[in-house]
Amino acid sequence: MVAASPPAPAVTAIRGPVLTFTGDPFAAGSQATARHEPDAIIVLADGKIARVGPAAEIAPLLSPGTDVVDYGRDALIMPGFIDCHVHYPQTQIIGSYGRQLLDWLTKYTFVAEQQFAEPAHAEAVAAVYLKENLRNGITTACVYCTVHPHSADRLFAAAERLDMRLLAGKVMMDRNAPAALTDTAQGSYDESKALIGKWHGRGRLGYAITPRYPGSSTPDQLALAGALRAEFPDCHLQSHLSENRREIAWMAELFPARKNYLDIFDHYGLLGPRTIYGHGIHLDDGELQRMAATGSAIAHCPTSNLFLGSGCFDMARTTKAGVRVGLATDLGAGTTFSVLGTLGEAYKVGQLGGQALSPWQAFYLATRGSARALYLDDRIGSIAEGMEADLVVLDLRSTPIIDFRMRHASDLAEALFIQMTMGDDRAVQATYVAGRCAYRRPALAFG
Ligand code: GUN
Ligand code: ZN
């Protein structure tokens, strides 16, 4: 169940094994960056982590009467998962059959998104979407709304009620979509600016300027997205990049003066810190270098890339080039809210390219790596004093077959890999948002 807002005591604490990262295992290796404490206490106060350390050290320091929730030895407490790229309006079209990107957009996506003209529909889907995030341990997401400003309003309002750290923006799209879904260059600038004024920096919310992709934005609209970014440099900016071969060929036709896909964004001033691009599957070396040099990030969307047949992201080449990479569901081209399931597919995508993503790298991507890709790693993505208290509590024995398999696991790396290969929403025992338990899994019965 998703818990209603009880008045949280000022200080609570949770106890159990903890895993977090202090750095980037792609760059520095897992030994130097993974921190595992087999029996830890995390003290939560005012939405932050007040203290964390071995239970034997922290327990004597707790003030009398502190409520300590003990999750036991079969749990693993991690930073809340972060979904770097997702379309909440597509929750209703997950698993739409038979098309690749451009036809899938026309046949399914643009049909569904028109229903968001109705604010009540947006509100209902936003509620389902956020609830499903919590059931899967996702405490922050960078979200595409539809072209309708109220689709962003409704999502932000729902996230604010949960005190969730969330980035979102209305999509800017002024061509190559049904008339009911297009804005104008100036209209999209005005509407985005109004939404920034209303939501950006309010509580834990942030605005992401969202030109959908250059296929659905005129040069005028991209130029105004660039103007908005220059005006509000602390906003995020999100778009899609180099996802599908047919799409890439079409971008070359639409923007003949630009030397490659990335150069379209570069030309309009849309690269830099706090910009995050979905996919980036088919980038050449020059594009990767430019991404790295500008501090622009990629959201890796493995279930989407497999589902739409878009291709296999090259994690090793991208991280080696120094590009920031985060993990994403990309629903509804992506097929699951489960971050564990998404990591399992990231592993398989790697295998197809002759790369074996390590469990350390995987769980880093879902937490601190995604926080770093979003330039939020000073606030979320790790468990340390002063960080915001967004946490997921995994149950490492959530199904009979996982329980059986775990009896044959020899170390934490193997236990983690079992979770990402076999686990799903049932493995999420509790989700904490700003220090409050926002989701607690109902009891599972198996024997
Ligand atoms: N490119 C432009 N829009 C979309 C979208 O909604 N999903 C995906 N996967 N790619 C896109
Ligand atoms: Zn997307």
Side-chain angles (χ1 to χ4, degrees), residues 19 76 78 359-360 363 412-421:
L19 176 67
L76 185 63
M78 295 191 62
W360 308 109
F363 282 89
L412 180 62
E414 195 171 346
L416 290 172
F417 193 57
I418 290 166
Q419 304 309 313
M420 59 189 265
T421 303

Side-chain angles (χ1 to χ4, degrees), residues 162-361:
L162 290 163
D163 199 12
M164 185 180 256
R165 182 161 286 291
L166 188 101
L167 303 169
K170 82 153 222 122
V171 291
M172 306 168 78
M173 44 197 290
D174 65 347
R175 64 169 165 174
N176 296 318
L181 279 188
T182 48
D183 49 22
T184 60
Q186 189 61 46
S188 71
Y189 170 92
D190 295 340
E191 288 173 347
S192 302
K193 188 166 175 168
L195 286 166
I196 291 169
K198 188 165 172 190
W199 294 109
H200 185 66
R202 180 162 148 179
R204 303 182 74 203
L205 307 174
Y207 196 80
I209 299 163
T210 309
R212 183 179 205 124
Y213 79 133
S216 61
S217 285
T218 58
D220 282 352
Q221 186 167 62
L222 294 176
L224 283 177
L228 211 45
R229 180 164 162 69
E231 249 176 282
F232 300 98
D234 64 333
C235 281
H236 282 71
L237 181 137
Q238 58 182 347
S239 193
H240 293 84
L241 168 70
S242 199
E243 175 177 5
N244 165 288
R245 298 265 183 215
R246 229 182 97 203
E247 171 215 20
I248 296 165
W250 186 41
M251 291 314 113
E253 283 170 32
L254 289 176
F255 296 89
R258 306 277 61 92
K259 64 175 189 260
N260 52 40
Y261 202 141
L262 191 74
D263 191 42
I264 302 170
F265 295 117
D266 208 352
H267 180 76
Y268 293 103
L270 304 179
L271 300 182
R274 285 174 300 284
T275 66
I276 179 133
Y277 287 89
H279 310 292
I281 303 174
H282 308 286
L283 299 173
D284 65 27
D285 288 345
E287 288 174 294
L288 283 179
Q289 275 162 23
R290 185 71 187 140
M291 292 285 295
T294 54
S296 312
I298 287 180
H300 174 36
C301 313
T303 71
S304 165
N305 298 163
L306 294 172
F307 184 73
L308 292 182
S310 302
C312 288
F313 177 68
D314 191 335
M315 180 69 75
R317 182 167 155 261
T318 308
T319 51
K320 195 162 170 241
V323 180
R324 292 173 187 239
V325 179
L327 184 78
T329 63
D330 191 29
L331 297 160
T335 53
T336 181
F337 278 84
S338 171
V339 171
L340 299 175
T342 305
L343 290 175
E345 298 308 287
Y347 177 78
K348 293 175 198 166
V349 166
Q351 285 286 69
L352 287 168
Q355 308 169 12
L357 187 70
S358 79
W360 308 109
Q361 292 167 338

